[in-house]
Amino acid sequence: MFTLNIATFRALFPLYSNETTYPDALITMNWDTATLYISADDYGWLSGTSRERSIYLMAAHITALSDIISSGQNPSLVSASSIDKISVTLVPPPVKNQFHWWLSTTPYGAQLLALLKMSAVGGMYVGGSAERSAFR
């Protein structure tokens, strides 16, 4: 089971190194929320360092989203903007996969999404004799 190391979190994400703006309690709360999305138990296809880093990235993603929302902005992807007569065009969330869209709203979420996709690539066929087992 992975537990939060605040010093490691602050080292991985220097943006959150200011202890006044980002107190330990806030980071701990966001870590706890991150473990609701990604289990802290080390099992399954996402294991070891990949699982630990995924939880840290999810906590950073949640922290970044909190910053965006508290600044009065909408956490969306911008597809176009203009200055005169102020115009901003936002990318609508894709209908098929809201979770991928949500992760794409911050750099940490995009990095997490890439890590999750790479960790889930491939598969393992188990059954029959040892000679028949193979990656598919």
Side-chain angles (χ1 to χ4, degrees):
M1 179 161 197
F2 296 106
T3 58
L4 171 63
N5 181 326
I6 293 180
T8 300
F9 181 86
R10 292 184 194 281
L12 287 171
F13 311 106
L15 178 64
Y16 305 124
S17 61
N18 185 328
E19 295 180 21
T20 304
T21 307
Y22 302 99
D24 292 353
L26 175 68
I27 293 172
T28 301
M29 179 184 68
N30 290 339
W31 170 273
D32 291 342
T33 303
T35 61
L36 298 174
Y37 292 97
I38 302 170
S39 174
D41 295 332
D42 194 15
Y43 68 91
W45 56 266
L46 187 64
S47 61
T49 306
S50 295
R51 180 172 295 273
E52 182 178 33
R53 184 59 57 91
S54 296
I55 300 169
Y56 277 112
L57 283 167
M58 181 61 84
H61 173 70
I62 292 167
T63 304
L65 281 176
S66 296
D67 286 349
I68 292 168
I69 293 167
S70 66
S71 71
Q73 297 177 9
N74 184 9
S76 298
L77 301 173
V78 176
S79 64
S81 64
S82 61
I83 295 175
D84 190 34
K85 303 286 185 191
I86 304 174
S87 173
V88 176
T89 304
L90 302 175
V91 176
V95 176
K96 289 187 177 183
N97 199 329
Q98 297 287 327
F99 186 65
H100 287 188
W101 176 84
W102 180 69
L103 286 176
S104 297
T105 57
T106 72
Y108 306 116
Q111 188 176 355
L112 172 59
L113 181 58
L115 179 84
L116 292 174
K117 284 185 175 186
M118 291 304 297
S119 295
V121 170
M124 178 81 172
Y125 172 79
V126 180
S129 65
E131 292 83 22
R132 294 179 60 195
S133 295
F135 283 99
R136 303 269 183 211

